[in-house]
Amino acid sequence: TQLLEQSPQFLSIQEGENLTVYCNSSSVFSSLQWYRQEPGEGPVLLVTVVTGGEVKKLKRLTFQFGDARKDSSLHITAAQPGDTGLYLCAGGTGGFKTIFGAGTRLFVKA
Amino acid sequence: DTAVSQTPKYLVTQMGNDKSIKCEQNLGHDTMYWYKQDSKKFLKIMFSYNNKELIINETVPNRFSPKSPDKAHLNLHINSLELGDSAVYFCASSLRGSGGLETQYFGPGTRLLVL
């Protein structure tokens, strides 16, 4: 069974701080996606990475796919209250199925 | 225009009842999904349909029965509701269903509470 573990489970920081959240597995995934979910809403895709070692940037967010395609990280620079939410990583299995991690709940205090 | 819509948004019901949740997407996608998100926010796939054909059926009690009358609709019927069914149920769609490579567009969720 393919599993994705995310850490930390919960993170509370001050506005302006930097942070990194992690998504790890013992299995190889064909791709890795990051979604953000705000309270009362469905998840929204932030990025998809498909190549081992790939790095993608989205404004203050930097995403990296591990060389062996078993892990990924999300780094946020100078966090803002608007970054508050649940960050979910999701692994592609090569078929129709996507495996989701349990998420990291981020709270950025003003 | 809402891309993926679900009804109802909230559903409070008694144990043992039967209920349905409806989902519609106006994106022209071929694949639709049902996910269950528990109180710990773990999002787990339940079912997936591609062009009205069932392609993913995870280990879900047979009290849950999906139905896709056409590509744009995927409904979920739940018989004999149990306390453990309380969760948020999300419908999603994607263009072709290439898991992990395509964007999945999620609905706003249906919050089910079984008393």
Side-chain angles (χ1 to χ4, degrees):
Chain A
T1 304
Q2 292 174 295
L3 291 172
L4 282 166
E5 293 184 0
Q6 291 190 240
S7 61
Q9 291 183 334
F10 182 80
L11 191 55
S12 180
I13 61 171
Q14 289 292 136
E15 182 176 4
E17 291 183 10
N18 300 333
L19 67 117
T20 302
V21 298
Y22 301 92
C23 175
N24 295 296
S25 177
S26 57
S27 304
V28 175
F29 286 93
S30 58
S31 61
L32 207 295
Q33 296 178 312
W34 286 91
Y35 285 79
R36 184 170 78 196
Q37 184 179 10
E38 298 191 16
E41 298 181 8
V44 176
L45 181 70
L46 296 173
V47 76
T48 301
V49 284
V50 296
T51 306
E54 183 176 0
V55 176
K56 279 193 176 178
K57 291 193 175 183
L58 185 67
K59 296 184 181 178
R60 295 176 294 100
L61 278 60
T62 301
F63 305 86
Q64 183 161 10
F65 200 11
D67 291 341
R69 289 187 289 130
K70 292 183 178 181
D71 55 83
S72 180
S73 63
L74 158 59
H75 182 79
I76 302 179
T77 304
Q80 299 176 0
D83 295 327
T84 293
L86 177 69
Y87 289 81
L88 296 162
C89 67
T93 61
F96 286 97
K97 196 166 150 182
T98 304
I99 307 291
F100 279 83
T104 292
R105 293 190 218 191
L106 173 64
F107 181 66
V108 183
K109 293 175 278 190
Chain B
D1 283 346
T2 304
V4 181
S5 58
Q6 295 178 230
T7 55
K9 185 160 186 176
Y10 298 95
L11 189 50
V12 181
T13 187
Q14 297 288 330
M15 219 167 37
N17 283 351
D18 303 338
K19 290 294 178 185
S20 290
I21 308 172
K22 295 188 176 183
C23 178
E24 176 181 1
Q25 55 97 1
N26 63 8
L27 298 167
H29 288 169
D30 287 344
T31 304
M32 295 184 73
Y33 312 81
W34 276 113
Y35 286 90
K36 179 180 180 181
Q37 188 172 48
D38 61 25
S39 57
K40 294 184 178 179
K41 302 300 182 183
F42 186 51
L43 195 64
K44 190 171 180 184
I45 183 77
M46 299 174 69
F47 302 103
S48 178
Y49 274 74
N50 178 265
N51 280 311
K52 301 195 299 175
E53 182 182 341
L54 181 66
I55 53 171
I56 294 176
N57 184 352
E58 288 295 283
T59 310
V60 178
N62 57 17
R63 298 182 294 103
F64 290 79
S65 51
K67 188 168 284 187
S68 182
D70 56 59
K71 254 177 36 168
H73 296 85
L74 180 62
N75 303 322
L76 182 66
H77 187 75
I78 315 170
N79 288 324
S80 303
L81 278 155
E82 299 178 358
L83 295 177
D85 297 333
S86 296
V88 183
Y89 292 83
F90 284 101
C91 175
S93 74
S94 67
L95 184 59
R96 282 179 291 274
S98 303
L101 288 173
E102 296 178 336
T103 303
Q104 289 189 44
Y105 293 85
F106 286 81
T110 294
R111 285 135 194 89
L112 172 65
L113 177 60
V114 182
L115 302 173

